[in-house]
Amino acid sequence: MYDLHTHSNISDGTQPVDQLVAQVAASGLSGFALTDHDSTQGWERAAQAAQEHNLDFIPGMEISCSWRGISVHLLSYAHNPAYQPLTQEVEGTRQARLNRARAMVDRLAEDYPISWELVQEQVADPTTTLGRPHIADALVALGAVESRSQAFKQILAPSSPYYIHQPALDPARAVELVRAAGGVPVLAHPRAASRGKTLPDEAIYQLVDAGLGGLEVYHRDNSEEGRAWLLKLAAAEDLLVTGSSDYHGAGKPNQLGENQTSPETVQALKERVTSGLLD
Ligand code: AMP
Ligand code: ZN
Ligand code: FE
Ligand code: FE
């Protein structure tokens, strides 16, 4: 079985790629995808480590998107990482993330002894995709909260006065770009209501029209009714149905392999890849 959604410390996971891959091997999974936010930087190391551990590796990326003020995550599998129209958009989001994080820190600094330097100290290196998790880590370092999860609940939630929406790529455009780059776009946790607003049905249909390849149905944040609706949509539109953990190391309670994807689905996914990356 496969876990198709994991994060390393290239974005907001807490482990370096090698450690993550070693853990995948120890967990008994036969393969996995590395899906760091807005970055493909871990692909080479992950591919090499996977080979050493005899694991099947699918390169992936979780693209930050935004639709009418709603945050949307699109998983991209095995796209050509050198396809400029996509990489330029994603690089733009990474830069915008810095401004947004700085602005959030400015707001927080009115009530907490937090500084931009302290947030910087929480990231593995300057190329890390920065986000709220690193601000959360700074709040933990200050002793303001005990964990990332507590920071997200009590201080960094979308409803909080410190929260600033992350401007990002339109999801339909992202779907088209991933396709053009030969990858397979899969909508991440589409019915994760606990995170805030999710895409309405009509917007998901638009993504299907744009070339969406699959739905991440089995994810801990999707509601039961949401899953049932997604399964119906997948059957009607011939979309892949994936299951994944969204593992972030110690940063989230999600356990590696807690939801899985079958080898048959992975095979079908590979057959939809046109970048040549998996040949
Ligand atoms: P951002 O993209 O900067 O708005 O931050 C949201 C990201 O934080 C999502 O991708 C979540 O997966 C991630 N995250 C990491 N750890 C946690 C946590 N403990 N609780 C909630 N979200 C988390
Ligand atoms: Zn994350
Ligand atoms: Fe996500
Ligand atoms: Fe994720």
Side-chain angles (χ1 to χ4, degrees), residues 40 43 61 78-88 177 180-182 275 277:
T40 59
W43 286 11
M61 171 165 79
H79 66 270
N80 172 7
Y83 182 68
Q84 286 301 318
L86 177 59
T87 53
Q88 273 168 15
L177 287 171
S275 65
L277 223 63

Side-chain angles (χ1 to χ4, degrees), residues 6-273:
T6 69
H7 296 267
S8 75
N9 66 358
I10 283 169
S11 61
D12 57 358
T14 58
Q15 296 163 308
V17 170
D18 296 317
Q19 226 181 76
L20 170 66
V21 178
Q23 196 175 331
V24 173
S27 75
L29 289 161
S30 45
F32 73 106
L34 178 69
T35 54
D36 276 309
H37 298 282
D38 304 319
S39 178
T40 59
Q41 208 178 240
W43 286 11
E44 254 181 61
R45 260 159 64 205
Q48 191 169 1
Q51 200 172 20
E52 284 161 18
H53 288 283
N54 209 9
L55 290 166
D56 191 14
F57 169 63
I58 316 283
M61 171 165 79
E62 188 171 16
I63 304 174
S64 309
C65 301
S66 168
W67 187 86
R68 299 189 190 170
I70 297 173
S71 160
V72 179
H73 288 171
L74 184 73
L75 294 160
S76 172
Y77 294 107
H79 66 270
N80 172 7
Y83 182 68
Q84 286 301 318
L86 177 59
T87 53
Q88 273 168 15
E89 289 285 0
V90 167
E91 194 46 46
T93 305
R94 283 163 47 80
Q95 290 305 318
R97 280 180 160 282
L98 292 174
N99 301 337
R100 177 258 202 160
R102 269 182 182 278
M104 281 188 68
V105 170
D106 285 345
R107 288 190 184 180
L108 286 160
E110 293 181 16
D111 296 319
Y112 298 92
I114 195 171
S115 66
W116 182 241
E117 289 65 39
L118 188 64
V119 174
Q120 296 288 95
E121 284 170 26
Q122 311 306 315
V123 308
D125 75 78
T127 61
T128 302
T129 303
L130 200 101
R132 276 183 291 158
H134 306 101
I135 302 176
D137 290 347
L139 291 165
V140 173
L142 286 174
V145 284
E146 271 166 21
S147 66
R148 259 191 197 182
S149 297
Q150 199 187 347
F152 267 87
K153 266 201 208 93
Q154 298 179 357
I155 308 178
L156 303 176
S159 56
S160 108
Y162 309 110
Y163 180 82
I164 294 172
H165 178 68
Q166 172 64 60
L169 193 52
D170 174 75
R173 170 97 179 114
V175 164
E176 288 167 3
L177 287 171
V178 168
R179 280 279 186 206
V184 179
V186 173
L187 188 58
H189 43 73
R191 283 289 178 261
S194 56
R195 294 167 175 243
K197 283 192 185 163
T198 60
L199 281 182
D201 298 357
E202 312 81 68
I204 296 184
Y205 285 122
Q206 283 172 17
L207 299 189
V208 174
D209 289 343
L212 189 68
L215 299 166
E216 189 183 50
V217 176
Y218 300 103
H219 181 290
R220 66 156 66 201
D221 293 351
N222 286 330
S223 67
E224 277 308 319
E225 319 85 82
R227 290 175 196 208
W229 185 82
L230 292 166
L231 286 173
K232 262 195 242 160
L233 176 66
E237 300 288 345
D238 190 29
L239 300 170
L240 300 169
V241 170
T242 67
S244 313
S245 66
D246 203 355
Y247 181 68
H248 281 71
K252 260 182 150 180
N254 308 31
Q255 293 302 305
L256 197 60
E258 67 176 27
N259 287 294
Q260 303 179 350
T261 302
S262 71
E264 292 74 26
T265 300
V266 172
Q267 188 53 38
L269 187 150
K270 287 179 176 177
E271 284 164 13
R272 295 182 187 201
V273 171

